[in-house]
Each structure stands twice: as structure tokens, then as C-alpha cells.
Amino acid sequence: MDVLISGASVAGPTLAYWLHRYGWRVTVVEKAPAVRGGGYPIDIRGTALGVLDRMGILQAVRAKHIHTHRLTFVSRTGRTINALDPGALGGGVAGRDIELPRGDLTSILYDLVRDDVEFLFADSIATLHEQDTGVEVTFDSGRTRAFDLVIGADGLHSNTRRLTFGPEEQFERYLGYCFAGFTLPNDLGLAHEGITWTTPGRFAALYAPGCTGTLHGFLTIARPEPPLAELRDRDAQIELMSRAFAGEKWEIPRLLDAMRAADDVFFDVTSQIRMPRWSRGRVALIGDAAHAPSFFSGQGTSTALVGAYVLAGELAKHDFATAFDSYEATTRSFVEANQALADGGGSTLAPATNAGLWLRNRMLSVAPLMARTGLLGRAGRKANSALALPAY
Ligand SMILES: Cc1cc2nc3c(=O)[nH]c(=O)nc-3n(C[C@H](O)[C@H](O)[C@H](O)COP(=O)(O)OP(=O)(O)OC[C@H]3O[C@@H](n4cnc5c(N)ncnc54)[C@H](O)[C@@H]3O)c2cc1C
């Protein structure tokens, strides 16, 4: 069987690895000219750790673990409200869960499959025509190829989803926030820690993943409507954030200057993707393309790894139509439990009102006690381990 996978980040190469092992011929098309390196730190927890283990890369991924010791919450004036273990907040289990730079994970996955799988970089699917025997694909580059199946692993704004199921808006659950992430020099000497600043509807963070010369900066704002125009316009993104944080003190001027100077600004909405079905005909979706949970859940990478593993396993066992059904039947409740974790995310990170912020700060003051008694992050721990990984 010949499969085309769109997207070479987390879900795509994971699916490629397993399908190759099951004897499929795999082609991966990626819009970027190479696997995208760098990027923010991501978490891998619970069931997803078993996927890495079965791929033989758990130790290599664990070796990149960042060990973030402290997340400090400061007020508008920079006064410390509280400092917590960030792992405990999200339901992490010390010594088991992994946090690593996104680019380190994608490089490990790419290195695992690069010799066995065909990669088409700097290209994208332009059209998909399904026929009885397969799918005819035209690429932006002009080439045309036929595949038995096409799998979209192309993220929150999936091209494969748009071509197969229609516009994103019908599946998007906008969670009311947008954010800009970028890197800046670590002039503050921060190491293995993050500092977050919050006023109603606005959240800023400086994050030092490890002990390097680079910090990650985040600016997040509450916004009732998704900023559609800004999504496509870098200058408008900078302008939106500059206006939202204008006149503030603490490290905000440093963050705004760094954002304006950065060449790696990543601007997006906090949205989920909720679809009644993840496949149509010979096309299926995995990872964020199918069910982005938003970064408020901290579970996008884990659900992407698990979904890719299960889809490949089901395809190894069944015809594709049955496999698409059983892939959904196996993973949907796991995905939904993890998507539900995002519901409290906005009110923890950036409560939109004074009352919400007061409540959040009270919660922070009892958080250490809740962490000691196992109450803090209990929902997260339950959701991220909610699936027993099938054996294939
Ligand atoms: C700021 C931030 C913080 C996050 N923190 C966490 C966290 O702590 N924990 C966690 O688990 N998750 C986190 N996430 C989410 C996590 O990064 C994603 O959920 C995860 O990467 C999903 O992987 P994916 O492979 O499905 O999609 P993606 O990683 O989005 O990859 C999609 C790939 O498809 C490619 N592509 C896009 N369009 C096309 C096209 N037309 N043709 C070909 N290729 C295309 C892209 O270039 C990319 O390589 C965070 C996300 C953000 C933005």
C-alpha cells in the first residue's frame, strides 16, 4: 500500500515510522523546506510515553528533558504572588513525564524515518481526487501522483482537512485567546524556570527552558472574536500585541522590543478542532489536524503520538475503512478527555476579569498544599493516561 502523509512534525513521522514497519510505502509531504526545528517546549505524558517506548526512542527523548523547576507568578507591578512546580500544575508525574523543545522531538522522529521514507519538502497538496482504487494527488509543485490513502498530519490549520472536509471554521472551537511566541536573548540569567505576569485578559511570560542564552517570550491576550486578519499579517500581529501591552512595566517593554526584532514570531489562536468524524473515504486526519486540543491542555503532542500509533496499528490489521472506524473508536474518548483539560486553561493563565484573577491568585496560594495531597493536576493525570495502549 502507498500512503501520502501531509505534515512532517510529530504526528506525521510517527505514523510514517509505524506504517513503514508494517510494510507500507510511505511518502511525506511537508510545506517547509526542512523539518522545522526550534520552537517552544512541549510535554509528553501518560499513554504517549508508551508510544515512544515502543518506537525505541524513549531514552533519546528523555535525554532532552528540560527539568523546569519553577514557574513564578508575578502581579502587574512585578511582585511575586507565588512560585510553583509547573509539572504539578498540569498533572505531571516527576521522573516519568518529559518536557523538551519541540524541535528536539521532531528531529528525533525525523532521524528515525528519514532513510526509510520518501520526504517531499517545500511542497503541499494542491488537489485531491478520490477514485475507486486510490487518490490522485496534485502538488503545488505541479507533480501528480496516485496513493492508496492520504493522511493529513498538517496541524491546526490543516490543508488536508480543508481540501477534504471544507473550511476550518466549521470545526474550530475558538477558546477566546490569541498569542505570540518568539525568542529573545537570556539577559536575565534565568535557568530552568518561567516567570508569568498577568492582568485581566493579558498574560506575558518569560521562559528559560534549561540553561541557555535564549529565552522564550509569550504574549497572550483575551479576545472575544478570533483575530482573522492578524493571522495572515505579521505587521498586524505585532501591532495588535503592541497596543494590548502598551504602557505596562515589569519586563513588558523588553518583551515588546524583542517581539518587534524577532525573526521567529509565531502567532496563533488558542483553538481546538472538534470534528464529528476524522476520515472521509480514503482520507483521514491525525494529530492537531483531527483534534487539536489547544496549548491550554498541554496534551497536543501526546494525543498526536497516540493517534498516529493507533491509526497505523489498525491499518496493519484491517482494510482501510474498518481501520479508520476502529482508530476513532479506540482514541476518541481519550482525545475528548484531553481536550476537556483546556477548559480551565484560559482562566488559569489569563483570567479575563478582576474577579477571575483574584480567584486564580487564591487558587495559587493553596496550590502547594493541593500538590502535596495529589489534588492538583489530578484531572490532567487521569486524562493523559486514560487510554491503555493497544498492542499491534
Ligand atoms: C505555544 C504552544 C505551546 C504548546 N505547548 C504544548 C505543550 O506543552 N504540550 C503539548 O503536548 N503540546 C503543546 N503544544 C501543541 C503541540 O505543539 C501540537 O499539539 C503538536 O505539535 C501537534 O503535532 P502535529 O504533528 O499534529 O501538528 P504540528 O506540530 O502543527 O505539525 C504540522 C506540520 O504540518 C506542516 N504543514 C502545514 N501545512 C502544510 C501543508 N499545506 N502541506 C504540508 N505540510 C504542511 C507544518 O509545517 C508542520 O510541520 C503547544 C503549541 C503551541 C503553539
Side-chain angles (χ1 to χ4, degrees), residues 7 9-11 30-31 36 40 43 124 154 159 266 287-288 298 300-301:
S9 173
V10 176
E30 165 59 51
K31 184 172 72 170
R36 287 161 62 186
Y40 43 83
D43 297 301
S124 173
D154 37 14
N159 178 48
F266 178 67
D288 274 8
T301 306

Side-chain angles (χ1 to χ4, degrees), residues 276-319:
R277 192 157 166 82
W278 299 330
S279 65
R280 177 171 286 172
R282 291 175 174 268
V283 180
L285 304 174
I286 54 172
D288 274 8
H291 46 64
S294 100
F295 82 86
F296 286 159
S297 78
Q299 275 293 95
T301 306
S302 294
T303 50
L305 287 165
V306 170
Y309 168 83
V310 171
L311 176 60
E314 296 299 331
L315 283 167
K317 269 185 16 186
H318 304 292
D319 64 85

Side-chain angles (χ1 to χ4, degrees), residues 207-226:
Y207 188 42
C211 188
T212 67
T214 303
L215 289 177
H216 289 267
F218 289 103
L219 296 171
T220 303
I221 56 171
R223 209 179 141 90
E225 296 300 323

Side-chain angles (χ1 to χ4, degrees), residues 58-74:
L58 183 59
Q59 291 321 316
V61 173
R62 195 175 289 291
K64 303 285 183 183
H65 180 53
I66 288 170
H67 295 287
T68 301
H69 299 311
R70 189 172 50 214
L71 185 60
T72 304
F73 293 81
V74 302

Side-chain angles (χ1 to χ4, degrees), residues 3 14 37 45 47 63 67 72 77 81 99 112 133 153 165 171 175 192 226 258 262 264 279 286 293 334 382 386 389:
V3 63
T14 304
R45 305 184 181 121
T47 304
H67 295 287
T72 304
T77 56
I81 298 167
E99 182 188 21
L112 192 65
T133 52
F165 297 87
F171 308 115
L175 299 183
H192 299 277
D264 60 356
S279 65
I286 54 172
F334 170 71
K382 198 167 163 221
L389 217 50

